[in-house]
Amino acid sequence: MSKSQKMNKNEEQLFAVTGQFETPDDIMHAAEKAACRYRKFDVHTPYPVHGMDGAMGLGESPIGWVTILVGSTCMLLMLGFISWISLIDYPIVWAGKPYFNLPGYIPILFEITILTGAVTTVLVLFLIVSGFPRNNHPLHDTPYMQRVSDDRFGLCIEAADENFNEAEARALLEEMGAKDIAPIYFNPVEADAGLRLSNPIFMVFLAGVVVVVSGASYFALNRMLELPPFNWMNVQDKTVPQTLHTVFADGRSMQKPVEGTVPRGYLPEDNYKEDPDAMAKYFANPLPASQEVFELGREKYESRCSACHGFYGEGDSRLQGQYPAPPTLHSKKVVDEWNDARIYHVITYGQNIMPAYAKQLTKDERWAVVHYIRALQRSLNPKESDLQ
Amino acid sequence: MSTASHTMVYEKKALPAKVATTGWALLILGLLLGVAAFMMDALRMQFVSIILFTFLAGIGITALFMVSIEYLAGAVWSTPIRRVFEMMSSIVLFLPLFALPVVLSMGNVFEWMSPKAATDQVLINKAPYLNQPFFLVRLAVILGIWILFYVLFTKNSRKQDETRDQSLTARNIKLSAIFIPVMGLSITALSIDFLMSLEPHWFSTIFGVNFFMGSLVAALSFITIAVILLNENGYLGKGIVRDHYYSLGFAMFAGCVFWTYTAFSQGMLIWYANMPEETPWYLHRWEDGWNVITISLLVVHFIVPLFALIQRKNKTNPARMIFMSCWLIFAHMFDLYWIVMPVHSHVAKIHGPSIGLAELAAALIAIGFIVVLFQQQTKNKNLVPVGDPKLQRGLAFRL
């Protein structure tokens, strides 16, 4: 039983007269004829029939303007947003590119244009075609809609048309050879009672959804994690910083270093920048003179130092006068008077026009370079024992 | 939409004599100018002959691609105008002729052929692929395959005009399934050989797709001009309507956008990674005033077609479609100029972009040749595949 037949006829109004056709050719001709007489009519087919918009006398749809206007507006907004972030709010140099990095923005702008254009187009179509947020339509649940969404092609002449007359519309459909010609009634009260944003029940329901979703999220993220068994990752038998420790007498979980010791990698060399002699006095090369250390020193020396100092430390710069050549590393001063820590000081803080290499070389690498320089010096002035 | 109203009444009519006259005039003028340009500046003409060959090769093979994709996809909108596609693809028969000038001047234009290449470690490593004998073998194989498929496709299609045998369509569908992957590989190889290897240190994996899309847009432009002029003057019978023009314009629009997509992604990835073996190709097209050409290419090949072809009223308007087709043919020539001529400037030690008689000669030869070829092709063939089983559905095609 269709909805329209169940209701009291007194409350109902005529929505449309409908007829059904068997073939796409028939519906095409029917649409052409209906278009001569009526403006408010529609065609329903189980699949898209090409050329139908021409037959129905529809012009070009303005929906494309919605797509392009919304898409390009959102693209410009996004461009402004990215520019604001990268020029004003949080400018960082990334991969050596300029702050305003247009080629990198283009994929994002492209995606935003497509996304906003497409979503807005669909929403606007909902609004126009089905009167969103209305959730019903007189044609819903009618035998007409059942057939035209399956194997028939339907023509629906609406009563709202200014030329509409029920008997005349029926006659026209009969003349065109339509089958199952039937009027469709609708109940204005029921049509109005559909889902509306202003409906109090709907508003209360919406508020309820908000409370339940946010409450559940809060519970899951803030409360549930404190309850067993979800807290197992949080509560573990281990010492974490800034907590009381029961083993040590002073109760600290982070102990101070032992008096008179320095942790590895934490030599307090920053204090000796202005005082190279003190550094030479208090420091010694911590690395062993092993094959690995020499290899590391050679690699770092050749990549960082050799451009000016030469591959053998003779001050034979490869820069051909573009930068002043340094003195040789085989001088009496460097070989005999300076100890390892004194050379280390030069590498760390620079000397004269030689810049500091603390940023380019780690501490171990610098000590390894010192070892390698010593090896270069020995190779030029070998001892008796080396020659045997 | 009764089938009766779309039944084609096709009578073969000969093209007017002025088509042949115009074509021959353009071709002969182009050839004379080409000889003059060769006398004045041989090196420029040698580089321009690469543009000429790749322009015609790309159009010929992508027109054949449109024929095969129609068979494979079961498309109907292009069936009534498929003969125009087939006639445009007959360019592949003459490609060996246009490859000859390039082959003869290989030593002057390809850096990997120069004596310097023998000491360049990168080029020594690439030598197993980039060497003259293998280049010629590849060229012969690629052109041979294209000609073979052209002959097979058109033979079946023409036989159907008389026999109305539907199994010929089925045979062409099978051929298409073989042809499309072969064509994808061969056009990539051709674009690598003739265009990418001009700067042999550089490489880009999307280059072949980019060349394919540029060529497809140019082929569709020539086809659109031919279809509109033939149909508006009644040579294609009655039944081809604006919806068919729309589809051609739609394919051109899609091709332009995809060309831009590949060109931009190639450029952006290289720009972002900033690796020394990839960036020089773009630096050569950005420094010395070439940035003006690069930005103009973006405007000519993307921004103008984007706004012109996105509108339905332009795609269904014959005059505007012919204008946009001419525009896009120029855009593809401009694209090839942008790819090839910076290398010429580098070799000839010219600062900045320059244009000479050779470019004009090549454009006249290409257009004159296509007009003459098309006119010859129409002489004793139907302009509509009257025996094709999809013809009626194709004529009934509406948006």
Side-chain angles (χ1 to χ4, degrees):
Chain A
M1 281 281 269
S2 77
K3 188 169 66 180
S4 55
Q5 285 165 339
K6 275 187 289 188
M7 279 182 301
N8 183 352
K9 293 280 178 195
N10 295 335
E11 294 170 6
E12 291 185 345
Q13 291 182 6
L14 184 65
F15 172 71
V17 178
T18 62
Q20 297 169 23
F21 297 86
E22 295 282 357
T23 69
D25 278 0
D26 292 342
I27 191 71
M28 210 69 152
H29 290 300
E32 275 164 14
K33 276 190 192 155
C36 301
R37 176 105 182 97
Y38 300 107
R39 293 197 60 202
K40 289 198 172 169
F41 71 101
D42 211 345
V43 168
H44 301 95
T45 56
Y47 56 85
V49 175
H50 290 283
M52 183 54 82
D53 49 348
M56 289 173 70
L58 303 174
E60 195 175 343
S61 166
I63 191 73
W65 288 104
V66 173
T67 316
I68 196 157
L69 286 177
V70 172
S72 44
T73 308
C74 292
M75 184 194 77
L76 291 175
L77 284 174
M78 192 67 191
L79 180 64
F81 179 58
I82 306 177
S83 313
W84 175 74
I85 290 173
S86 48
L87 293 174
I88 297 163
D89 187 46
Y90 206 85
I92 47 170
V93 176
W94 197 85
K97 300 292 186 256
Y99 288 125
F100 186 74
N101 178 1
L102 188 63
Y105 300 164
I106 283 177
I108 300 166
L109 299 178
F110 173 75
E111 301 288 349
I112 279 291
T113 313
I114 303 285
L115 180 73
T116 54
V119 170
T120 317
T121 306
V122 172
L123 288 181
V124 169
L125 281 175
F126 271 145
L127 209 65
I128 293 172
V129 175
S130 59
F132 184 81
R134 203 174 91 178
N135 72 341
N136 57 23
H137 193 275
L139 290 178
H140 279 182
D141 290 339
T142 56
Y144 169 77
M145 192 44 79
Q146 284 170 13
R147 285 309 291 272
V148 300
S149 55
D150 182 14
D151 61 350
R152 287 271 184 90
F153 302 82
L155 182 68
C156 163
I157 300 169
E158 291 175 23
D161 192 280
E162 54 185 10
N163 292 329
F164 183 80
N165 173 303
E166 189 178 351
E168 199 185 315
R170 267 179 180 279
L172 181 69
L173 284 167
E174 270 166 22
E175 182 201 324
M176 292 188 295
K179 293 177 182 151
D180 295 334
I181 298 168
I184 305 275
Y185 291 95
F186 77 109
N187 185 327
V189 179
E190 194 191 67
D192 254 11
L195 184 63
R196 285 166 146 252
L197 290 178
S198 55
N199 186 326
I201 298 172
F202 177 68
M203 305 262 278
V204 170
F205 173 74
L206 208 60
V209 169
V210 170
V211 169
V212 168
V213 170
S214 53
S217 312
Y218 176 79
F219 174 75
L221 297 174
N222 292 287
R223 287 284 167 264
M224 200 173 77
L225 291 179
E226 309 293 329
L227 305 172
F230 307 106
N231 65 349
W232 287 354
M233 287 290 277
N234 279 344
V235 184
Q236 296 180 18
D237 287 337
K238 67 174 185 185
T239 305
V240 290
Q242 311 292 348
T243 54
L244 189 71
H245 201 288
T246 50
V247 174
F248 296 112
D250 60 0
R252 291 169 185 266
S253 56
M254 289 178 82
Q255 291 289 304
K256 287 179 176 173
V258 177
E259 284 288 319
T261 62
V262 178
R264 274 181 186 276
Y266 288 91
L267 284 173
E269 61 193 28
D270 289 350
N271 305 338
Y272 296 93
K273 184 174 181 182
E274 305 301 330
D275 199 356
D277 294 330
M279 193 167 196
K281 190 174 162 192
Y282 294 123
F283 282 75
N285 198 332
L287 298 183
S290 68
Q291 180 72 27
E292 281 168 19
V293 169
F294 280 119
E295 275 303 316
L296 177 68
R298 187 181 62 78
E299 185 195 325
K300 293 298 163 190
Y301 180 86
E302 288 183 354
S303 66
R304 298 286 180 192
C305 317
S306 71
C308 289
H309 285 283
F311 282 110
Y312 303 103
E314 291 170 318
D316 49 340
S317 168
R318 293 200 298 283
L319 302 180
Q320 304 179 340
Q322 290 175 52
Y323 200 75
T328 171
L329 295 176
H330 300 286
S331 62
K332 189 174 179 327
K333 183 174 84 175
V334 183
V335 177
D336 296 335
E337 292 172 14
W338 282 11
N339 65 3
D340 285 4
R342 186 65 186 78
I343 302 176
Y344 180 84
H345 185 274
V346 173
I347 302 175
T348 309
Y349 297 114
Q351 177 177 284
N352 300 331
I353 60 164
M354 171 176 163
Y357 276 80
K359 291 266 160 51
Q360 287 86 349
L361 299 171
T362 65
K363 289 170 183 171
D364 280 359
E365 285 168 356
R366 276 175 259 160
W367 287 116
V369 167
V370 173
H371 265 311
Y372 184 67
I373 290 171
R374 289 294 186 217
L376 289 177
Q377 291 169 344
R378 274 282 278 281
S379 69
L380 204 67
N381 293 304
K383 293 178 179 171
E384 276 301 319
S385 57
D386 297 340
L387 297 174
Q388 285 164 4
Chain B
M1 201 174 100
S2 82
T3 35
S5 68
H6 296 295
T7 305
M8 168 161 275
V9 188
Y10 174 71
E11 277 177 50
K12 184 163 167 45
K13 284 197 280 183
L15 257 54
K18 69 177 180 192
V19 176
T21 324
T22 318
W24 280 112
L26 286 173
L27 182 57
I28 290 166
L29 184 63
L31 286 170
L32 288 175
L33 281 179
V35 172
F38 185 76
M39 301 291 216
M40 285 160 60
D41 188 349
L43 188 66
R44 178 178 283 276
M45 194 62 217
Q46 285 164 350
F47 273 96
V48 168
S49 66
I50 296 182
I51 300 183
L52 180 60
F53 171 70
T54 47
F55 182 75
L56 290 174
I59 287 172
I61 194 60
T62 47
L64 196 57
F65 167 77
M66 287 300 291
V67 172
S68 67
I69 203 88
E70 181 204 307
Y71 279 115
L72 199 58
V76 294
W77 69 270
S78 58
T79 307
I81 54 178
R82 197 186 63 232
R83 267 303 136 73
V84 181
F85 292 67
E86 288 173 12
M87 288 169 179
M88 206 56 74
S89 64
S90 66
I91 293 172
V92 297
L93 294 174
F94 296 86
L95 286 181
L97 210 61
F98 287 95
L100 201 61
V102 184
V103 170
L104 291 177
S105 58
M106 274 178 82
N108 295 338
V109 293
F110 290 118
E111 191 190 329
W112 49 269
M113 289 271 293
S114 69
K116 270 189 299 179
T119 52
D120 190 323
Q121 190 57 46
V122 174
L123 297 187
I124 292 169
N125 293 343
K126 290 189 179 187
Y129 188 82
L130 286 180
N131 59 68
Q132 195 174 18
F134 193 28
F135 179 95
L136 295 176
V137 169
R138 282 198 301 272
L139 181 63
V141 169
I142 290 169
L143 295 187
I145 290 174
W146 290 1
I147 290 170
L148 175 73
F149 274 101
Y150 167 76
V151 170
L152 292 175
F153 272 120
T154 50
K155 198 185 75 185
N156 288 342
S157 171
R158 279 176 205 145
K159 208 158 83 188
Q160 205 169 38
D161 278 9
E162 284 123 40
T163 62
R164 320 244 156 179
D165 181 2
Q166 297 203 3
S167 69
L168 289 168
T169 298
R171 201 176 296 169
N172 268 2
I173 291 173
K174 279 182 199 142
L175 268 180
S176 306
I178 304 167
F179 173 70
I180 284 178
V182 170
M183 174 263 166
L185 291 174
S186 56
I187 195 170
T188 306
L190 189 93
S191 69
I192 288 173
D193 281 356
F194 280 83
L195 298 173
M196 207 160 94
S197 86
L198 285 168
E199 289 186 47
H201 291 88
W202 184 73
F203 52 89
S204 161
T205 46
I206 208 166
F207 192 81
V209 184
N210 187 237
F211 173 69
F212 170 47
M213 268 304 129
S215 303
L216 183 64
V217 171
L220 284 167
S221 303
F222 272 112
I223 289 163
T224 305
I225 294 175
V227 166
I228 291 177
L229 288 179
L230 289 171
N231 191 44
E232 297 293 313
N233 294 307
Y235 290 91
L236 296 179
K238 293 192 180 73
I240 291 168
V241 291
R242 306 255 160 128
D243 303 59
H244 295 93
Y245 300 172
Y246 176 92
S247 299
L248 284 166
F250 182 72
M252 274 153 69
F253 174 76
C256 266
V257 173
F258 190 54
W259 175 89
T260 315
Y261 179 85
T262 56
F264 176 74
S265 49
Q266 173 183 292
M268 189 198 69
L269 290 177
I270 288 175
W271 176 82
Y272 241 131
N274 206 12
M275 296 210 287
E277 67 266 37
E278 291 177 343
T279 47
W281 197 84
Y282 279 97
L283 288 178
H284 298 159
R285 282 153 189 79
W286 195 257
E287 289 168 343
D288 261 358
W290 278 98
N291 52 357
V292 179
I293 302 290
T294 307
I295 290 170
S296 311
L297 181 65
L298 180 73
V299 174
V300 169
H301 211 312
F302 175 60
I303 293 174
V304 171
L306 174 74
F307 288 107
L309 287 176
I310 202 169
Q311 300 176 53
R312 188 172 186 161
K313 64 173 187 285
N314 290 354
K315 280 181 287 205
T316 48
N317 180 320
R320 290 182 193 175
M321 277 296 281
I322 287 184
F323 175 79
M324 275 322 291
S325 302
C326 297
W327 180 282
L328 288 171
I329 289 166
F330 170 74
H332 183 51
M333 288 178 177
F334 194 51
D335 181 25
L336 291 172
Y337 173 86
W338 178 78
I339 291 171
V340 173
M341 293 316 273
V343 187
H344 166 260
S345 294
H346 182 68
V347 174
K349 297 191 170 49
I350 301 170
H351 280 292
S354 60
I355 187 153
L357 201 56
E359 281 89 337
L360 179 66
L364 289 178
I365 292 173
I367 293 166
F369 171 73
I370 288 176
V371 173
V372 169
L373 183 70
F374 198 78
Q375 193 269 340
Q376 295 290 327
Q377 289 277 316
T378 56
K379 267 188 179 170
N380 45 17
K381 285 164 201 141
N382 284 332
L383 282 166
V384 173
V386 289
D388 196 293
K390 291 190 293 183
L391 181 64
Q392 291 310 328
R393 280 199 288 151
L395 292 169
F397 168 78
R398 294 295 180 273
L399 292 175

mmCIF file of all heavy atoms in Angstrom, chain B residues 191-208:
data_model
loop_
_atom_site.group_PDB
_atom_site.id
_atom_site.type_symbol
_atom_site.label_atom_id
_atom_site.label_comp_id
_atom_site.label_asym_id
_atom_site.label_seq_id
_atom_site.Cartn_x
_atom_site.Cartn_y
_atom_site.Cartn_z
ATOM 1 N N SER B 191 60.980 9.547 -27.296
ATOM 2 C CA SER B 191 61.175 10.864 -26.679
ATOM 3 C C SER B 191 62.501 10.901 -25.929
ATOM 4 O O SER B 191 63.164 11.942 -25.903
ATOM 5 C CB SER B 191 60.010 11.194 -25.748
ATOM 6 O OG SER B 191 60.027 10.360 -24.625
ATOM 7 N N ILE B 192 62.903 9.775 -25.344
ATOM 8 C CA ILE B 192 64.206 9.748 -24.662
ATOM 9 C C ILE B 192 65.316 9.928 -25.693
ATOM 10 O O ILE B 192 66.239 10.720 -25.506
ATOM 11 C CB ILE B 192 64.374 8.420 -23.899
ATOM 12 C CG1 ILE B 192 63.461 8.406 -22.680
ATOM 13 C CG2 ILE B 192 65.819 8.225 -23.469
ATOM 14 C CD1 ILE B 192 63.418 7.097 -21.968
ATOM 15 N N ASP B 193 65.215 9.194 -26.822
ATOM 16 C CA ASP B 193 66.275 9.238 -27.832
ATOM 17 C C ASP B 193 66.423 10.619 -28.436
ATOM 18 O O ASP B 193 67.526 11.137 -28.556
ATOM 19 C CB ASP B 193 65.959 8.238 -28.953
ATOM 20 C CG ASP B 193 66.306 6.831 -28.537
ATOM 21 O OD1 ASP B 193 66.847 6.681 -27.434
ATOM 22 O OD2 ASP B 193 66.039 5.899 -29.297
ATOM 23 N N PHE B 194 65.300 11.211 -28.850
ATOM 24 C CA PHE B 194 65.400 12.435 -29.645
ATOM 25 C C PHE B 194 65.390 13.699 -28.818
ATOM 26 O O PHE B 194 65.925 14.710 -29.239
ATOM 27 C CB PHE B 194 64.268 12.487 -30.681
ATOM 28 C CG PHE B 194 64.547 11.650 -31.890
ATOM 29 C CD1 PHE B 194 64.292 10.299 -31.876
ATOM 30 C CD2 PHE B 194 65.106 12.212 -33.026
ATOM 31 C CE1 PHE B 194 64.570 9.514 -32.981
ATOM 32 C CE2 PHE B 194 65.389 11.427 -34.125
ATOM 33 C CZ PHE B 194 65.120 10.080 -34.111
ATOM 34 N N LEU B 195 64.737 13.680 -27.638
ATOM 35 C CA LEU B 195 64.609 14.925 -26.882
ATOM 36 C C LEU B 195 65.422 14.899 -25.586
ATOM 37 O O LEU B 195 66.204 15.799 -25.324
ATOM 38 C CB LEU B 195 63.133 15.196 -26.571
ATOM 39 C CG LEU B 195 62.261 15.392 -27.813
ATOM 40 C CD1 LEU B 195 60.802 15.482 -27.434
ATOM 41 C CD2 LEU B 195 62.680 16.635 -28.578
ATOM 42 N N MET B 196 65.258 13.821 -24.803
ATOM 43 C CA MET B 196 65.947 13.816 -23.510
ATOM 44 C C MET B 196 67.446 13.680 -23.701
ATOM 45 O O MET B 196 68.229 14.267 -22.953
ATOM 46 C CB MET B 196 65.409 12.696 -22.634
ATOM 47 C CG MET B 196 65.545 12.954 -21.169
ATOM 48 S SD MET B 196 64.424 11.912 -20.250
ATOM 49 C CE MET B 196 65.498 10.566 -19.885
ATOM 50 N N SER B 197 67.884 12.891 -24.723
ATOM 51 C CA SER B 197 69.315 12.653 -24.882
ATOM 52 C C SER B 197 70.033 13.853 -25.480
ATOM 53 O O SER B 197 71.249 13.810 -25.654
ATOM 54 C CB SER B 197 69.563 11.415 -25.732
ATOM 55 O OG SER B 197 69.550 11.740 -27.094
ATOM 56 N N LEU B 198 69.300 14.940 -25.790
ATOM 57 C CA LEU B 198 69.989 16.162 -26.199
ATOM 58 C C LEU B 198 70.851 16.684 -25.054
ATOM 59 O O LEU B 198 71.873 17.314 -25.282
ATOM 60 C CB LEU B 198 68.973 17.237 -26.611
ATOM 61 C CG LEU B 198 68.313 17.029 -27.963
ATOM 62 C CD1 LEU B 198 67.149 17.966 -28.110
ATOM 63 C CD2 LEU B 198 69.304 17.252 -29.085
ATOM 64 N N GLU B 199 70.390 16.464 -23.829
ATOM 65 C CA GLU B 199 71.220 16.781 -22.658
ATOM 66 C C GLU B 199 71.418 15.468 -21.919
ATOM 67 O O GLU B 199 70.668 15.136 -21.003
ATOM 68 C CB GLU B 199 70.533 17.834 -21.782
ATOM 69 C CG GLU B 199 70.546 19.182 -22.449
ATOM 70 C CD GLU B 199 70.017 20.294 -21.561
ATOM 71 O OE1 GLU B 199 70.407 20.380 -20.397
ATOM 72 O OE2 GLU B 199 69.207 21.078 -22.062
ATOM 73 N N PRO B 200 72.423 14.686 -22.326
ATOM 74 C CA PRO B 200 72.466 13.272 -21.917
ATOM 75 C C PRO B 200 72.763 13.057 -20.435
ATOM 76 O O PRO B 200 72.558 11.958 -19.946
ATOM 77 C CB PRO B 200 73.584 12.694 -22.779
ATOM 78 C CG PRO B 200 74.416 13.851 -23.163
ATOM 79 C CD PRO B 200 73.510 15.035 -23.219
ATOM 80 N N HIS B 201 73.212 14.095 -19.715
ATOM 81 C CA HIS B 201 73.443 13.878 -18.286
ATOM 82 C C HIS B 201 72.127 13.879 -17.514
ATOM 83 O O HIS B 201 72.055 13.352 -16.417
ATOM 84 C CB HIS B 201 74.345 14.982 -17.713
ATOM 85 C CG HIS B 201 75.740 14.905 -18.215
ATOM 86 N ND1 HIS B 201 76.148 15.523 -19.360
ATOM 87 C CD2 HIS B 201 76.817 14.258 -17.729
ATOM 88 C CE1 HIS B 201 77.430 15.265 -19.557
ATOM 89 N NE2 HIS B 201 77.856 14.497 -18.597
ATOM 90 N N TRP B 202 71.136 14.492 -18.101
ATOM 91 C CA TRP B 202 69.882 14.710 -17.386
ATOM 92 C C TRP B 202 68.934 13.533 -17.605
ATOM 93 O O TRP B 202 68.998 12.848 -18.623
ATOM 94 C CB TRP B 202 69.249 16.003 -17.906
ATOM 95 C CG TRP B 202 67.996 16.391 -17.194
ATOM 96 C CD1 TRP B 202 67.887 16.892 -15.939
ATOM 97 C CD2 TRP B 202 66.675 16.309 -17.697
ATOM 98 N NE1 TRP B 202 66.593 17.140 -15.636
ATOM 99 C CE2 TRP B 202 65.815 16.781 -16.697
ATOM 100 C CE3 TRP B 202 66.109 15.879 -18.900
ATOM 101 C CZ2 TRP B 202 64.440 16.840 -16.860
ATOM 102 C CZ3 TRP B 202 64.741 15.942 -19.047
ATOM 103 C CH2 TRP B 202 63.928 16.414 -18.037
ATOM 104 N N PHE B 203 68.046 13.303 -16.650
ATOM 105 C CA PHE B 203 67.052 12.248 -16.829
ATOM 106 C C PHE B 203 65.801 12.625 -16.059
ATOM 107 O O PHE B 203 65.866 13.310 -15.046
ATOM 108 C CB PHE B 203 67.583 10.905 -16.333
ATOM 109 C CG PHE B 203 68.119 10.955 -14.941
ATOM 110 C CD1 PHE B 203 67.293 10.728 -13.855
ATOM 111 C CD2 PHE B 203 69.442 11.277 -14.714
ATOM 112 C CE1 PHE B 203 67.794 10.815 -12.574
ATOM 113 C CE2 PHE B 203 69.948 11.362 -13.427
ATOM 114 C CZ PHE B 203 69.126 11.129 -12.353
ATOM 115 N N SER B 204 64.663 12.157 -16.563
ATOM 116 C CA SER B 204 63.396 12.356 -15.872
ATOM 117 C C SER B 204 62.496 11.212 -16.283
ATOM 118 O O SER B 204 62.349 10.917 -17.462
ATOM 119 C CB SER B 204 62.776 13.689 -16.289
ATOM 120 O OG SER B 204 61.409 13.678 -15.969
ATOM 121 N N THR B 205 61.908 10.543 -15.300
ATOM 122 C CA THR B 205 61.133 9.343 -15.629
ATOM 123 C C THR B 205 59.774 9.670 -16.200
ATOM 124 O O THR B 205 59.140 8.819 -16.812
ATOM 125 C CB THR B 205 60.957 8.470 -14.377
ATOM 126 O OG1 THR B 205 60.581 9.315 -13.301
ATOM 127 C CG2 THR B 205 62.233 7.752 -14.049
ATOM 128 N N ILE B 206 59.300 10.920 -16.004
ATOM 129 C CA ILE B 206 57.955 11.247 -16.483
ATOM 130 C C ILE B 206 58.017 11.919 -17.850
ATOM 131 O O ILE B 206 56.996 12.270 -18.425
ATOM 132 C CB ILE B 206 57.228 12.136 -15.443
ATOM 133 C CG1 ILE B 206 55.711 11.947 -15.526
ATOM 134 C CG2 ILE B 206 57.590 13.593 -15.611
ATOM 135 C CD1 ILE B 206 54.983 12.508 -14.354
ATOM 136 N N PHE B 207 59.241 12.043 -18.405
ATOM 137 C CA PHE B 207 59.423 12.798 -19.638
ATOM 138 C C PHE B 207 58.593 12.234 -20.786
ATOM 139 O O PHE B 207 57.964 12.981 -21.544
ATOM 140 C CB PHE B 207 60.912 12.797 -20.006
ATOM 141 C CG PHE B 207 61.254 13.766 -21.084
ATOM 142 C CD1 PHE B 207 61.434 15.098 -20.804
ATOM 143 C CD2 PHE B 207 61.380 13.340 -22.392
ATOM 144 C CE1 PHE B 207 61.745 15.995 -21.800
ATOM 145 C CE2 PHE B 207 61.688 14.234 -23.395
ATOM 146 C CZ PHE B 207 61.867 15.554 -23.095
ATOM 147 N N GLY B 208 58.576 10.902 -20.929
ATOM 148 C CA GLY B 208 57.841 10.277 -22.032
ATOM 149 C C GLY B 208 56.351 10.580 -21.964
ATOM 150 O O GLY B 208 55.715 10.856 -22.982
#
